[in-house]
């Protein structure tokens, strides 16, 4: 080896390994809204702790 780290497979091959493994358009709309709401609340909470 040339001293560089190697990986088992490049990440761009994930869809070729199993097409159902990663589907960027297969998100649940309600879950996405819940995550946005949680992140917003968490950012506000953490900002309050820094003050």
């Amino acid at each position: 080896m040339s001293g560089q780290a190697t990986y088992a497979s490049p990440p761009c091959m994930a869809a070729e390994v199993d097409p159902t493994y990663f589907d960027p358009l297969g998100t649940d709309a309600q879950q996405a809204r819940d995550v946005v709401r949680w992140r917003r609340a968490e950012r506000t909470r953490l900002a309050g702790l820094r003050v």
Side-chain angles (χ1 to χ4, degrees), residues 32-50:
R33 283 189 296 272
D34 291 344
V35 169
V36 168
R37 191 176 304 119
W38 177 83
R39 286 181 177 169
R40 185 178 298 128
E42 195 65 7
R43 281 193 301 270
T44 301
R45 182 185 74 81
L46 292 172
L49 292 175
R50 288 192 299 264

Side-chain angles (χ1 to χ4, degrees), residues 5-19 21-24:
T6 58
Y7 299 98
S9 62
C12 61
M13 301 279 296
E16 294 179 21
V17 172
D18 181 6
Y21 178 72
F22 177 72
D23 182 9

